[in-house]
Amino acid sequence: DKLTRPWLPVSKPIFSVDIHPDGTKFATGGQGEDSGKVVIWNMAPVLREEDERNENIPKLLCQMDNHLACVNCVRWSNNGLYLASGGDDKLVMVWKRAAFIGPSAVFGSSSKLANVEQWRCVMILRNHTGDVMDVAWSPHDVWLASCSVDNTIVIWNARKFPEIVMTLKGHTGLVKGLTWDPVGKYIASQADDRSLKVWRTMDWQLETNITKPFSECGGTTHVLRLSWSPDGQYLVSAHAMNNSGPTAQIIERDGWKTNMDFVGHRKAVTVVKFNPKIFKKKQKNGSTPKPSCPYCCCAVGSKDRSLSVWLTSLKRPLVVIHDLFDKSIMDITWTLNGLGLLVCSMDGTVAFLDFSQDELGDPLNEEEKNAIHQNIYGKSLAITMESQLSSTIIENPEMLKYQQERQVNQNPNEAQGIGPESQTPKLTNVLNGESLEDIRKNLLNKQVETRTADGRRRITPLCIAQLDTGATAAVNSIGMKSNLLLTSASKIEPMKALDSRFTERSKATPGVTSVPLTIGITPLDRVKDCSSVKEPKGKDETSSDSEDKIMVKSMAKRKGEMEGAEVVEKRKKGRPRKDAKMMPISQPFPQVTFLLSKDKEPSRLTTPIAVLKLPTPSIQKSFSTQVSTDGVTYLEVENEVSVVSGSRLSQLKWSREGREWDALLPSRIIIAAGSNDVVAVACEDRTLSVFTACGRRLIPSIILPAPMSALHCSRHFVMALTASATLSVWDVQKQTALVKNESLNPILSGTDATVSQSFLTQQGVAVVSLSNGKTYCFNSSLETWNLIADKQDSLVQCTDFRNCVSAQDALGSMGPLALTQGRNLSAGRLASRLSSTPHHLQQGMTLAFLEKQLSSALVLLSASEYRHWLLIYARFLVNEGYELRLRELCQDLLGPVHKSSSSSWEPTVLGLRKRDLLTEVLPVIGQNLRFQRLFTEYQDQLELLRLK
């Protein structure tokens, strides 16, 4: 085993360490001079001795001193985009990497400690009333949990900071550790009250409370970092006692049994950390492979300054290292490949241990790992759901009613879902100039990163249209490498160049619309280049452009930053154009040459050849995009890598956790997108190429009718939005078109709106948001555009269904519909202000709104959201006494009891079994004694069907 200590000029305690998912850096948290300190270090000098000696390789990447007191925990999000830190100042801070602006020395330090990377605090989460001891991201970064000496655990909605999903109360002592199970079904916490509690994420209630192994424990440890095994079978506690000796207790998920523990440490265990990989025995060369059970690997650190590493297949530890430090071990983190281990201590040092595969075994591949998960979770999920249902449906509605009441009384405010969202003032929506919506949607916006000639990194800014729905605009930098002409109907305001450090949200002024803007393309030096932009004129276009006289004045200060550009123009009579709306022009600007003839007479300007309806991204020398949310996957594009027999080749590179492939294309790549299954690339010659995640070409190049404006992939679906405002969606697995060259005319005509954002759902439904606040999806079975969200919708603003939302609902409300509607749905937020609205009117509006939500979820093929809104709708019908609709709903879910040939009833909706949904709706009906007969009637029918 190699054992090194990275260069850390620190003697102050280090309380936490965590390796970034891509393995290139790690973070530490601890005590600074007069503040808390978070430091991000380079991993290279730790891994390679020659890099440690090389002075040009930085060891420290960034130091952040924002915490007011000691930092107890640092944790990277699973996708590696964020770092969360919690400290004695009662705060949780969320950090994100910023575009590099130039070296900035750490304040008050010698110039040697210049920050190589810029990490900025984008969110401060305030709720705890005591020191924050531990933070943990859930699988897929849906939630962020934090625990504190105030005895509580707060679950934050990581896609909508600073929204709180739930506060878990139940511990009677300082909570010192948290861990999620690998699929996010449970979260476990350990506290000084001599208990370990496991909470369900389905309804945030306590699943089990384990106290026996901890009855002799004293509150002597600073932290209690427990850990869940990657296969989900075992939960290992930090400090436990057995025969008055300190141990790490092993808790089996199956029945929460506590029959085993890791023994041998002389003092209390402070931290246990499972290796992220599941292993199997390494086969000896030439021997016939014996089937061996997969096993996990766990590192245990203690106050006795020693570290032990265990395999669940062995009775004794694989290795024990004594006296590694001068003081207690505080935190442990594994590299993602499972072979490296960083350990930090109270004495201010960090040690790195390197294992070989011979020592640990062969890691399981994704397929084998999934099979194990399927085995464990596939079964247990069904069982728990079943037992829950059977215990809920009580024959006597009267008794049931009291049951429900009891549950509501346990957590009145949280259950209503009206806690933090309604109390948080709007001020928290923008921090350091970055809107928090960005944090949540970074799933949608893959940021495009380029390098300028002098080697600086640039993040292409995003044009953000004003949308409270929280949906952002697609990355659309207007501009072509060809000459750009701007013509417009009336005066163009000075264009604000957006600084690449942050994105500004435009303030919407009621009644003021932005100025339309058309983009004309003129030929470069060679005419043949224009073949890519020539297109038939749309029906509603006039050719009055040719008479426009334009003069363009450009004032650009080129210090890498564009300060401002003013456009002045003269215009003859003619209809103002409607089809294009002004987009904020984002910087960095493409090199633009304005064509003026020698005598500077504006009238001699070249006229535009084709007018594009939607903006297209400018061509860049190189850019990279992040793909997929689990695992850090990058697409890198390098245009014109070489010239072969006159044609320029461009290269696409795909990389994920060390695996990579590349592909060459004969034309410059404009835009690239990908999912876990496919990668799609659009080129300048209007071809679209699709590859599998392993780099195999799936179909010959698709020829597009016009240049690409936006491209999205989701699972095995690919969506193309072209500049001539047509939409296509393909299922590349089945090789079929779901949507074929469908025009956006129906939703764009008659408005001066433009597309502000587009995305593709997991089910292959295309969603398009316009700058006027309306969002549409294309319904391929009806072949129509359906309106699914509208910012100005009065129904949304006057609905009130707060009393129909339960705590469990938080889970089901995530999906494409929630994404498009975003924060707009704080139910009944205007309703209270409009108290003059008569009840029956508001009731009618709420009913209409809920039915609209149900049908929208149906069109979006979003099963979880359909179930979510169905239950809210059912509760609303029950509360307001809509008997007819309730009966109709039950009848549709039940279907015919006796088979008949004429019945057209479908037993499932979006893959959910209707009769299963009915079993969920019935307990809701049972709450209202008015519907006792209805309840009994459908209960009996279901029973009858079951016996059949």
Side-chain angles (χ1 to χ4, degrees):
D1 286 22
K2 184 179 93 181
L3 180 61
T4 61
R5 294 187 183 202
W7 174 86
L8 295 172
V10 194
S11 52
K12 296 249 185 323
I14 296 178
F15 288 113
S16 186
V17 61
D18 201 30
I19 297 177
H20 190 277
D22 70 10
T24 59
K25 51 179 103 78
F26 66 97
T28 59
Q31 183 70 56
E33 289 309 313
D34 50 0
S35 65
K37 187 150 87 173
V38 176
V39 184
I40 296 176
W41 305 90
N42 190 355
M43 198 69 191
V46 178
L47 297 172
R48 287 172 293 278
E49 226 155 296
E50 62 266 33
D51 289 1
E52 189 176 358
R53 286 196 297 268
N54 184 340
E55 284 189 10
N56 299 327
I57 294 178
K59 298 182 171 70
L60 184 145
L61 299 178
C62 187
Q63 178 176 318
M64 298 96 93
D65 296 332
N66 301 30
H67 273 282
L68 309 172
C70 182
V71 175
N72 293 315
C73 190
V74 286
R75 292 291 180 257
W76 297 101
S77 61
N78 298 290
N79 63 14
L81 288 172
Y82 299 101
L83 175 71
S85 58
D88 284 356
D89 52 10
K90 311 177 179 124
L91 303 177
V92 175
M93 293 191 185
V94 179
W95 307 83
K96 183 184 182 186
R97 187 160 174 189
F100 191 68
I101 302 145
S104 73
V106 178
F107 180 73
S109 71
S110 64
S111 59
K112 265 197 227 148
L113 280 177
N115 283 340
V116 182
E117 290 184 357
Q118 300 283 333
W119 286 81
R120 206 181 55 235
C121 177
V122 289
M123 193 70 247
I124 296 180
L125 305 175
R126 311 166 192 274
N127 188 264
H128 288 293
T129 54
D131 308 0
V132 176
M133 298 308 294
D134 206 348
V135 293
W137 297 86
S138 75
H140 304 306
D141 302 327
V142 181
W143 300 299
L144 173 66
S146 59
C147 65
S148 159
V149 301
D150 63 16
N151 304 359
T152 68
I153 298 136
V154 175
I155 310 289
W156 309 85
N157 181 347
R159 303 202 173 153
K160 277 197 207 159
F161 287 129
E163 183 178 297
I164 294 177
V165 179
M166 198 59 169
T167 303
L168 307 178
K169 298 172 180 166
H171 279 292
T172 54
L174 325 182
V175 189
K176 291 183 174 178
L178 290 172
T179 180
W180 294 89
D181 102 292
V183 292
K185 205 181 156 195
Y186 298 111
I187 179 169
S189 56
Q190 194 173 346
D192 266 352
D193 58 12
R194 302 188 170 99
S195 80
L196 184 153
K197 297 186 193 303
V198 180
W199 315 78
R200 291 189 295 271
T201 56
M202 194 174 75
D203 54 5
W204 303 111
Q205 298 301 312
L206 191 64
E207 166 81 13
T208 182
N209 183 25
I210 298 162
T211 53
K212 199 166 148 227
F214 312 107
S215 55
E216 304 171 54
C217 296
T220 55
T221 60
H222 184 81
V223 288
L224 291 168
R225 305 201 200 271
L226 62 171
S227 182
W228 214 299
S229 65
D231 61 8
Q233 300 213 53
Y234 303 109
L235 169 60
V236 176
S237 80
H239 189 22
M241 296 291 264
N242 189 346
N243 286 331
S244 56
T247 68
Q249 182 64 51
I250 301 171
I251 297 149
E252 287 181 70
R253 184 201 197 91
D254 185 6
W256 310 111
K257 294 195 283 285
T258 53
N259 308 332
M260 299 179 287
D261 46 20
F262 294 139
V263 295
H265 283 282
R266 300 185 299 282
K267 288 189 183 168
V269 172
T270 49
V271 50
V272 292
K273 193 61 175 271
F274 269 96
N275 187 314
K277 294 280 186 215
I278 304 173
F279 296 90
K280 56 176 187 254
K281 269 209 177 62
K282 202 164 171 56
Q283 297 302 334
K284 296 275 184 294
N285 287 344
S287 70
T288 49
K290 291 189 195 74
S292 68
C293 274
Y295 54 87
C296 297
C297 166
C298 183
V300 178
S302 157
K303 276 184 77 176
D304 65 13
R305 317 198 305 279
S306 68
L307 176 89
S308 56
V309 178
W310 302 72
L311 301 179
T312 52
S313 58
L314 300 176
K315 289 273 190 292
R316 48 195 58 231
L318 177 72
V319 61
V320 180
I321 300 166
H322 292 289
D323 302 329
L324 194 50
F325 302 98
D326 302 330
K327 291 185 181 163
S328 169
I329 290 178
M330 297 307 292
D331 205 358
I332 300 172
T333 174
W334 289 89
T335 55
L336 213 55
N337 68 6
L339 296 176
L341 181 66
L342 277 177
V343 190
C344 73
S345 159
M346 278 287 254
D347 66 14
T349 61
V350 174
F352 177 68
L353 283 79
D354 207 359
F355 290 87
S356 69
Q357 278 199 356
D358 291 328
E359 294 165 297
L360 295 182
D362 284 329
L364 261 54
N365 61 31
E366 277 315 289
E367 261 169 48
E368 297 168 297
K369 204 167 158 180
N370 286 344
I372 288 182
H373 276 173
Q374 190 67 41
N375 243 339
I376 299 165
Y377 300 107
K379 193 176 70 184
S380 68
L381 211 78
I383 292 171
T384 47
M385 290 299 279
E386 201 119 73
S387 62
Q388 218 179 358
L389 280 174
S390 59
S391 62
T392 319
I393 298 174
I394 296 157
E395 292 308 319
N396 177 349
E398 189 60 44
M399 189 168 137
L400 177 79
K401 193 165 144 235
Y402 298 132
Q403 286 284 315
Q404 305 305 111
E405 268 175 15
R406 195 195 63 184
Q407 278 179 0
V408 172
N409 291 341
Q410 279 169 355
N411 50 356
N413 232 15
E414 267 109 15
Q416 302 278 319
I418 55 171
E421 172 93 18
S422 47
Q423 294 154 11
T424 317
K426 264 289 186 225
L427 286 172
T428 50
N429 273 7
V430 173
L431 192 99
N432 290 6
E434 176 162 275
S435 83
L436 302 175
E437 268 35 320
D438 294 2
I439 293 181
R440 152 170 160 264
K441 275 119 10 204
N442 97 64
L443 291 167
L444 291 175
N445 294 338
K446 317 289 192 274
Q447 276 206 311
V448 179
E449 190 179 290
T450 50
R451 283 190 186 271
T452 52
D454 58 358
R456 287 189 172 190
R457 291 172 57 263
R458 267 248 171 264
I459 304 275
T460 304
L462 318 173
C463 301
I464 303 279
Q466 207 277 334
L467 284 170
D468 326 343
T469 59
T472 45
V475 180
N476 278 332
S477 282
I478 298 186
M480 291 277 159
K481 261 282 164 53
S482 55
N483 312 304
L484 184 73
L485 293 171
L486 304 177
T487 70
S488 109
S490 57
K491 77 168 198 326
I492 289 192
E493 305 156 4
M495 283 172 262
K496 287 203 183 73
L498 292 185
D499 185 331
S500 62
R501 276 168 291 183
F502 58 84
T503 356
E504 231 175 32
R505 293 182 70 189
S506 50
K507 309 277 182 290
T509 330
V512 177
T513 52
S514 302
V515 185
L517 166 73
T518 21
I519 296 170
I521 303 292
T522 57
L524 270 166
D525 40 10
R526 296 189 316 284
V527 179
K528 68 174 187 203
D529 262 7
C530 290
S531 57
S532 64
V533 291
K534 244 184 210 132
E535 316 157 28
K537 277 189 178 288
K539 290 186 196 107
D540 59 346
E541 286 178 35
T542 61
S543 51
S544 65
D545 300 317
S546 51
E547 8 177 296
D548 294 358
K549 293 182 185 171
I550 313 122
M551 186 176 76
V552 180
K553 255 194 340 195
S554 160
M555 313 183 315
K557 296 181 190 164
R558 289 220 72 89
K559 273 181 279 185
E561 223 81 343
M562 177 107 174
E563 304 278 48
E566 224 175 77
V567 179
V568 189
E569 52 89 53
K570 296 177 188 148
R571 186 186 158 83
K572 277 194 182 165
K573 294 185 195 77
R575 224 154 40 81
R577 308 190 37 102
K578 276 188 180 166
D579 52 30
K581 172 163 177 181
M582 177 167 180
M583 296 278 292
I585 289 199
S586 58
Q587 182 275 334
F589 241 56
Q591 269 349 92
V592 174
T593 26
F594 293 110
L595 251 194
L596 290 164
S597 51
K598 284 197 183 77
D599 54 1
K600 301 285 188 293
E601 266 288 311
S603 56
R604 298 274 177 87
L605 273 172
T606 330
T607 49
I609 290 179
V611 173
L612 302 184
K613 288 266 189 85
L614 299 179
T616 57
S618 56
I619 298 176
Q620 294 162 313
K621 179 80 182 81
S622 64
F623 59 91
S624 66
T625 311
Q626 187 180 340
V627 178
S628 87
T629 46
D630 52 332
V632 186
T633 311
Y634 290 101
L635 286 178
E636 289 172 51
V637 168
E638 191 74 44
N639 280 321
E640 301 181 42
V641 275
S642 63
V643 176
V644 180
S645 64
S647 74
R648 300 164 173 173
L649 292 181
S650 297
Q651 186 183 43
L652 169 77
K653 220 169 133 180
W654 179 97
S655 60
R656 172 178 185 164
E657 294 167 14
R659 298 199 306 273
E660 51 182 54
W661 54 262
D662 54 51
L664 288 169
L665 293 145
S667 170
R668 290 192 295 183
I669 297 169
I670 297 176
I671 188 168
S675 67
N676 285 341
D677 304 306
V678 296
V679 173
V681 191
C683 293
E684 192 180 18
D685 59 5
R686 303 211 319 269
T687 57
L688 175 67
S689 302
V690 183
F691 304 92
T692 64
C694 298
R696 182 172 57 86
R697 183 181 270 280
L698 264 174
I699 31 182
S701 299
I702 294 173
I703 304 297
L704 298 163
M708 182 73 77
S709 174
L711 177 66
H712 303 284
C713 298
S714 179
R715 290 178 48 221
H716 46 84
F717 302 110
V718 178
M719 160 183 170
L721 195 56
T722 69
S724 59
T726 60
L727 169 82
S728 299
V729 179
W730 300 279
D731 179 336
V732 290
Q733 195 179 48
K734 294 185 180 153
Q735 307 240 344
T736 55
L738 302 178
V739 181
K740 192 174 155 193
N741 267 340
E742 201 55 55
S743 168
L744 268 66
N745 237 355
I747 60 175
L748 284 172
S749 66
T751 70
D752 56 359
T754 182
V755 174
S756 61
Q757 185 212 359
S758 54
F759 68 93
L760 185 61
T761 73
Q762 291 283 304
Q763 282 70 37
V765 179
V767 179
V768 175
S769 297
L770 302 187
S771 51
N772 59 10
K774 290 182 163 60
T775 301
Y776 300 87
C777 75
F778 191 77
N779 181 340
S780 46
S781 51
L782 290 175
E783 296 191 11
T784 54
W785 284 100
N786 291 111
L787 176 67
I788 52 172
D790 181 1
K791 258 177 38 204
Q792 272 76 45
D793 188 356
S794 52
L795 288 182
V796 182
Q797 290 157 355
C798 300
T799 53
D800 189 1
F801 51 86
R802 276 178 299 188
N803 54 352
C804 303
V805 183
S806 81
Q808 285 99 301
D809 291 334
L811 269 163
S813 63
M814 285 175 201
L817 186 59
L819 211 55
T820 56
Q821 295 175 334
R823 299 184 91 87
N824 225 14
L825 274 195
S826 35
R829 98 206 125 118
L830 284 185
S832 49
R833 264 185 267 157
L834 304 170
S835 47
S836 54
T837 315
H839 177 72
H840 72 89
L841 191 65
Q842 191 175 3
Q843 196 184 21
M845 287 176 112
T846 308
L847 184 69
F849 169 76
L850 292 175
E851 289 177 350
K852 205 159 142 190
Q853 291 295 88
L854 260 181
S855 58
S856 295
L858 207 51
V859 174
L860 284 168
L861 310 180
S862 173
S864 65
E865 290 180 301
Y866 180 78
R867 182 180 161 272
H868 169 79
W869 288 108
L870 180 79
L871 290 174
I872 291 178
Y873 179 56
R875 287 187 205 115
F876 181 77
L877 295 180
V878 169
N879 294 352
E880 303 292 334
Y882 283 97
E883 184 158 6
L884 271 173
R885 282 179 203 238
L886 203 53
R887 186 173 284 281
E888 184 185 50
L889 177 70
C890 292
Q891 197 48 57
D892 176 53
L893 294 179
L894 180 74
V897 182
H898 307 290
K899 285 198 182 78
S900 74
S901 53
S902 62
S903 165
S904 61
W905 182 75
E906 288 288 331
T908 60
V909 54
L910 302 184
L912 303 166
R913 289 173 48 200
K914 287 186 179 175
R915 286 170 181 165
D916 290 352
L917 288 173
L918 183 58
T919 55
E920 292 190 75
V921 168
L922 279 175
V924 175
I925 299 174
Q927 286 177 45
N928 191 335
L929 278 175
R930 269 184 59 176
F931 299 123
Q932 192 163 342
R933 289 176 66 180
L934 188 77
F935 174 82
T936 316
E937 182 184 327
Y938 283 97
Q939 180 77 35
D940 293 350
Q941 302 253 43
L942 268 182
E943 203 46 51
L944 193 73
L945 284 164
R946 250 187 229 124
L947 296 173
K948 274 186 168 182

